[in-house]
Amino acid sequence: MAFLTEDLVFGPIKSRRLGNSLGVNLLPKFRKICTFNCVYCECGWNPEICDEKARFATPQEYEQTLENALKELVGTPKEPDSITFSGNGEPTLHPDFPEIIDITIKLRDKYVPKAVISVLTNGTRIHDERVFKALLKVDNNICKLDGGTDNAINKINLPNVKIDIEQYVKYLQRFEGQVIIQTLFLRGKHSCDAIDNTTDGEINLWLEHLKKIKPRMTMIYVIDRETPEKNLEKLSSEEMSKIADKVKALGLNVEYYS
């Protein structure tokens, strides 16, 4: 079952990482649009064919929707700890993403100044200077890095854009530590092809990337919901703890969710 939403703003939901998380979906209703097609994505597979033209909400529609939601939630037990951009795919694909971040900051400061703004992104748009500068403005710029090699990322994330992990790491270095790296660890198969980003070789290369990026936090986690590829294995808490210890040994902050 795919977890797709028709709402521009939804929740709040209880997040393992972000507390009361008020979700923002900048993508079309009940339709996934993404530069990745991850084997574990809770939104399901990317559609093979879609006849209808994608419609994105305008910044004005978004501003009104978010303001209405915040007015309703402020001062209640559901007041958000985080305004979180996720939704039906890659949020930075919205053509007005930078303007929408500015709107979000303005409304957050007005209604819920203690809340953080979080963006869950696969990072494939951080080469765009407008997207890069917008991500620098948010509290939690959370970029995906699901392996140490191009091969692992191609197998796990099934990108529809060219992936060069060395170039990607250089883009991540531009944040000068103002970035959170998120990595999902798993083993399994897809189309009879073995998938495993938990080998010593993969983890060691992944750690080398972290040393270069110097993120202010690394979030590692396991499968938590139904996945489109069924032949995947959830790692144990013990395995995740060992990976977290390797990150700590570098002098970097890490949180793990199992």
Side-chain angles (χ1 to χ4, degrees):
M1 178 179 179
F3 289 86
L4 293 168
T5 181
E6 67 173 335
D7 297 317
L8 181 55
V9 176
F10 58 95
I13 60 173
K14 276 291 182 183
S15 165
R16 291 186 291 174
R17 294 179 283 175
L18 301 170
N20 272 348
S21 176
L22 183 65
V24 175
N25 172 44
L26 297 181
L27 301 167
K29 298 179 179 182
F30 288 126
R31 177 182 167 192
K32 183 183 173 190
I33 297 182
C34 197
T35 47
F36 278 2
N37 197 21
C38 300
V39 295
Y40 59 77
C41 183
E42 64 187 40
C43 294
W45 299 118
N46 292 347
E48 293 183 10
I49 298 174
C50 191
D51 294 329
E52 67 176 276
K53 187 176 180 180
R55 181 187 180 279
F56 296 91
T58 66
Q60 294 74 25
E61 288 172 328
Y62 169 72
E63 181 168 9
Q64 187 62 62
T65 303
L66 180 61
E67 185 163 31
N68 289 343
L70 292 177
K71 282 180 178 178
E72 183 177 330
L73 293 168
V74 67
T76 73
K78 292 186 177 182
E79 182 172 315
D81 300 307
S82 175
I83 301 170
T84 306
F85 289 79
S86 54
N88 300 340
E90 174 52 42
T92 63
L93 289 173
H94 192 292
D96 299 307
F97 178 76
E99 182 180 350
I100 283 171
I101 290 297
D102 289 338
I103 290 168
T104 308
I105 292 169
K106 178 183 70 174
L107 293 178
R108 183 276 307 274
D109 291 350
K110 180 177 181 179
Y111 291 104
V112 287
K114 293 182 180 179
V116 298
I117 298 169
S118 306
V119 179
L120 304 180
T121 172
N122 63 26
T124 54
R125 298 276 298 149
I126 62 173
H127 65 278
D128 184 315
E129 196 66 17
R130 293 172 67 247
V131 171
F132 173 76
K133 289 180 177 178
L135 289 172
L136 276 176
K137 296 178 181 179
V138 306
D139 304 280
N140 293 328
N141 160 29
I142 305 174
C143 288
K144 188 186 298 291
L145 180 61
D146 280 342
T149 63
D150 292 341
N151 184 52
I153 288 173
N154 281 318
K155 287 184 176 183
I156 294 169
N157 303 132
L158 300 176
N160 55 35
V161 293
K162 179 176 172 54
I163 295 298
D164 180 337
I165 196 165
E166 297 297 335
Q167 185 61 53
Y168 179 50
V169 168
K170 288 178 182 178
Y171 283 126
L172 290 169
Q173 287 179 281
R174 294 180 64 213
F175 287 111
E176 297 182 345
Q178 296 306 307
V179 62
I180 297 172
I181 295 299
Q182 63 167 355
T183 303
L184 188 145
F185 284 101
L186 77 167
R187 288 184 289 265
K189 287 186 177 181
H190 173 66
S191 299
C192 300
D193 201 7
I195 299 170
D196 190 350
N197 61 355
T198 72
T199 64
D200 288 343
E202 277 296 328
I203 290 177
N204 288 337
L205 287 171
W206 174 77
L207 291 169
E208 288 298 315
H209 298 323
L210 293 185
K211 285 164 66 175
K212 294 176 183 177
I213 299 163
K214 296 181 175 64
R216 67 178 178 86
M217 177 64 69
T218 300
M219 294 178 172
I220 61 175
Y221 58 112
V222 297
I223 295 165
D224 188 49
R225 291 185 176 177
E226 186 175 346
T227 58
E229 173 54 69
K230 305 307 178 187
N231 298 307
L232 302 177
E233 178 186 339
K234 178 177 179 177
L235 270 65
S236 68
S237 296
E238 181 181 4
E239 289 177 287
M240 293 298 288
S241 179
K242 288 179 179 178
I243 296 172
D245 286 343
K246 292 177 185 290
V247 180
K248 291 175 187 175
L250 300 178
L252 298 174
N253 295 320
V254 62
E255 294 177 351
Y256 75 93
Y257 305 86
S258 57

